[in-house]
Amino acid sequence: MRKTIIMIIISLIGLQARSETFSCTVHDAVVTGTDSTLVCRLDGVDIEMDIPEGMRLRGIDGFGDGIIAIADGGTVLFWDSPFDKARRRHIDLKGELIRIDAGQNTCHAVSDSSEIISIDLALQAKVFDFNAEYSGYYGKVRIIDIATGPTAVFIAVEKEDGRPGAFASSKGSVWSERELNYKEDGVWHTFKKVPHSISYEELSDNFVLHCGDGTEFHLPACSHCNYVTDPSTSL
């Protein structure tokens, strides 16, 4: 593992391109900013991180020992530490990068044209066009978000008919649908709310779909063990 001036380990999921402000916790520092500025606060001192001029950030997360970000024009930026200049990588895409999620060794992003991008620590990228490969099986989908776990990657989607969906992959190139069925009071139901995001929760080892009203749909490793948490009934 690479040694840097400061070991960067993201302990919380980086804020995605859902708003114009970013905030993430980094080991003993906090990175905050906007779509054009990032500041790392370390030991009470603010360090302004280098962002190439004209770049508009769309998401940020921790990757390996550094920080990775997506920006307009299919651009990926990577900082080995907050003191360094960002390394830049351009990816040829149909759409714009909108979400990113990374772990210690794997990173995935999605575009607004439903492309899935797998990025390694050398910033080499592989692009998978989900609709081009799978529309004949599942119809076209709109990818909403992506989440990276230790052994799997999940995407949250909205289908052509407006229904929610989730797909899983081990490496980001072969995907299978995960049915959104769950049992409640002995009766099977199908989840119908379209989420705004998906995340991986390390403590429970679950992937979770998050909805605007606070409802969460949990996807454990066991496909028959899905369950829903509803803020109106969990008080």
Side-chain angles (χ1 to χ4, degrees):
M1 185 172 290
R2 194 167 53 247
K3 289 185 177 180
T4 59
I5 298 176
I6 174 176
M7 186 70 72
I8 306 297
I9 302 174
I10 297 293
S11 62
L12 294 178
I13 295 173
L15 183 68
Q16 310 299 302
R18 300 168 188 147
S19 67
E20 296 300 316
T21 60
F22 301 139
S23 177
C24 59
T25 303
V26 229
H27 190 44
D28 52 354
V30 176
V31 176
T32 59
T34 68
D35 58 4
S36 59
T37 62
L38 286 178
V39 175
C40 175
R41 170 155 286 219
L42 177 64
D43 296 330
V45 178
D46 288 341
I47 304 159
E48 186 171 352
M49 296 173 60
D50 172 72
I51 298 176
E53 187 176 355
M55 282 288 152
R56 175 174 174 255
L57 301 183
R58 289 172 166 260
I60 185 171
D61 207 350
F63 185 31
D65 298 333
I67 300 170
I68 193 167
I70 51 175
D72 285 348
T75 301
V76 173
L77 302 172
F78 185 83
W79 295 262
D80 292 288
S81 89
F83 303 97
D84 296 334
K85 287 186 176 295
R87 291 190 278 135
R88 185 190 302 193
R89 166 80 177 179
H90 173 74
I91 305 171
D92 290 324
L93 298 169
K94 295 179 181 177
E96 289 284 358
L97 294 166
I98 56 170
R99 296 293 177 90
I100 187 170
D101 194 57
Q104 186 66 16
N105 300 304
T106 57
C107 178
H108 298 89
V110 295
S111 79
D112 56 10
S113 292
S114 292
E115 298 157 294
I116 301 167
I117 302 92
S118 302
I119 306 168
D120 64 22
L121 287 167
L123 299 190
Q124 298 299 309
K126 295 181 180 180
V127 180
F128 183 84
D129 190 329
F130 189 91
N131 284 333
E133 296 293 333
Y134 285 118
S135 61
Y137 298 96
Y138 304 115
K140 289 186 177 182
V141 304
R142 176 179 68 89
I143 299 181
I144 298 167
D145 198 6
I146 192 163
T148 303
T151 59
V153 185
F154 268 67
I155 54 173
V157 310
E158 182 179 15
K159 298 183 178 182
E160 284 183 297
D161 59 7
R163 291 181 297 126
F167 292 83
S169 175
S170 59
K171 296 182 179 180
S173 57
V174 178
W175 295 83
S176 58
E177 186 169 16
R178 178 69 180 262
E179 297 295 333
L180 302 184
N181 298 325
Y182 65 101
K183 183 180 284 189
E184 190 173 83
D185 298 327
V187 179
W188 282 100
H189 303 271
T190 299
F191 192 67
K192 297 181 180 179
K193 295 182 180 181
V194 176
H196 61 66
S197 61
I198 186 171
S199 67
Y200 171 73
E201 294 187 349
E202 185 176 1
L203 187 61
S204 62
D205 192 27
N206 289 350
F207 287 87
V208 184
L209 300 175
H210 305 274
C211 299
D213 64 355
T215 301
E216 295 181 336
F217 187 84
H218 297 254
L219 295 151
C222 168
S223 60
H224 301 291
C225 304
N226 301 338
Y227 65 95
V228 175
T229 55
D230 186 332
S232 66
T233 59
S234 59
L235 297 177

